Amino acid sequence: MSLPLEGLSAIVTGAGRGLGRAEALELARLGASVVVNDYGQAGRDGSGEASAAPAEAVAAEIREAGGQAVAHLGDVSDFESARGLVDLAIGTYGKLDILVNNAGILRDRMVFSMSEAEWDSVIRVHLKGHFNTTHFASVHWRERSKAAGGRPVYGRVVNTSSEAFLAGSAGQPNYAAAKGGIVGLTTSTAAALAKYGVTANAICPRARTRMTEDVFAGFAEPADGQLDPLAPEHVAPLVGYLASPSAAGVNGQLLVVHGGMVAVVERPRVAAKFDSAKDTFSYEELDGLLSAYYASRPPNETFASTEVLGLRRA
């Protein structure tokens, strides 16, 4: 019996540790040949010297288990490095079928304390990094479709957003903004590439990793022999599914995943609509309509979806 991803090739960015590592191992377990990308810096804030060791170790782990994998040392926020990453997959495996964008850094601070550099670096690695790899992957898929006479090809993009975007994490304005931007990039990509046979979806994972060690410091570690409810291994199967032929009908979606639970996030809906009495609104008319409307709503209710933080496996 063939494996669901047999004959397919994949890139996983930021795959030297944590979530990316678990995702790369899962794709390989399902039969994909994997390019393991990681810039290998020691600090979760993107500090330290680049190192090929983390990516090489995961690639070696895949090969030792009988799979196919090569390592790529590269910064996905660099346009040419992202081009090289996609070219490596195509050159090694003949084509690229799956792109999992996971690479990221954290530089947390309240908005009134955040520096320009702290803002720019997080936006660059997360949001620009997702765009860079997606750009070159989409060029490849479009060219393959053209070469096939316009017929659809196989392509899957799985992007990594965050509950920080959904809930509005107060100490992470850069991270929340980047993760919100990734959702916009995902839905745009889904619409643009559907005719080529490509799907694009985003996940909001919750996992105990090097990046989140302080966030989940108060959550108890599991007893010996038990799987941590916050283990990255809870997230990886969803990535494997979204990368598979079975998920051909899943496109432009946002899913929250952690601890044995997957939640499909509904798109925003219009809560209320107001029309001007004349051609346009006046201040007084808006004051009368909107002030009365918001006075009747809970005072702390915003666009942020804080209830997602309470999601748990039943």
Side-chain angles (χ1 to χ4, degrees):
M1 183 176 178
S2 63
L3 295 169
L5 302 185
E6 188 171 331
L8 301 177
S9 64
I11 288 172
V12 183
T13 71
R17 304 177 179 94
L19 275 171
R21 173 183 173 275
E23 291 162 355
L25 293 175
E26 177 69 3
L27 295 184
R29 188 187 70 81
L30 294 175
S33 301
V34 184
V35 178
V36 179
N37 161 266
D38 203 283
Y39 203 33
Q41 293 169 299
R44 69 174 190 170
D45 62 351
S47 62
E49 293 296 321
S51 170
E56 292 283 5
V58 176
E61 190 174 354
I62 291 171
R63 292 192 296 267
E64 288 166 6
Q68 297 186 60
V70 294
H72 177 268
L73 170 66
D75 179 1
V76 293
S77 71
D78 179 86
F79 199 62
E80 291 306 314
S81 179
R83 184 201 301 271
L85 173 58
V86 173
D87 286 348
L88 177 62
I90 298 168
T92 304
Y93 303 123
K95 59 186 173 65
L96 172 65
D97 303 295
I98 300 159
L99 171 63
V100 179
N101 285 308
N102 170 76
I105 63 171
L106 284 180
R107 293 192 177 179
D108 295 350
R109 207 173 300 277
M110 301 295 281
V111 68
F112 42 78
S113 300
M114 182 163 288
S115 69
E116 181 181 16
E118 289 165 338
W119 172 271
D120 287 349
S121 61
V122 169
I123 297 295
R124 185 187 72 250
V125 174
H126 287 274
L127 186 52
K128 186 184 177 188
H130 273 59
F131 161 74
N132 286 346
T133 54
T134 302
H135 166 75
F136 290 111
S138 66
V139 168
H140 170 64
W141 289 321
R142 184 168 178 260
E143 289 176 348
R144 278 174 54 192
S145 177
K146 284 184 175 181
R151 292 192 297 274
V153 299
Y154 192 98
R156 298 285 188 269
V157 179
V158 182
N159 289 332
T160 306
S161 183
S162 171
E163 291 171 290
F165 143 68
L166 289 169
S169 180
Q172 298 180 304
N174 48 4
Y175 184 72
K179 292 306 189 181
I182 286 167
V183 174
L185 173 64
T186 302
T187 55
S188 177
T189 301
L193 300 187
K195 66 180 180 180
Y196 301 115
V198 178
T199 67
N201 295 286
I203 63 170
C204 293
R206 189 187 302 178
R208 197 193 309 270
T209 68
R210 183 179 58 134
M211 281 184 60
T212 62
E213 57 190 359
D214 59 337
V215 176
F216 297 123
F219 290 73
E221 298 276 356
D224 290 344
Q226 294 181 342
L227 181 63
D228 187 348
L230 292 169
E233 287 74 17
H234 288 295
V235 175
L238 177 61
V239 173
Y241 166 75
L242 292 174
S244 76
S246 296
V250 184
N251 194 28
Q253 301 299 309
L254 178 65
L255 302 100
V256 175
V257 54
H258 58 81
M261 182 217 73
V262 173
V264 178
V265 179
E266 190 175 31
R267 67 186 184 274
R269 295 186 180 274
V270 176
K273 176 179 173 290
F274 304 95
D275 297 314
S276 62
K278 298 181 179 179
D279 288 342
T280 189
F281 281 108
S282 66
Y283 165 84
E284 290 77 13
E285 188 179 14
L286 286 171
D287 182 22
L289 292 170
L290 293 179
S291 295
Y293 172 72
Y294 281 105
S296 66
R297 296 184 61 174
N300 296 321
E301 184 177 88
T302 71
F303 189 76
S305 179
T306 54
E307 60 267 27
V308 299
L309 300 179
L311 290 172
R312 295 288 188 278
R313 181 172 180 266

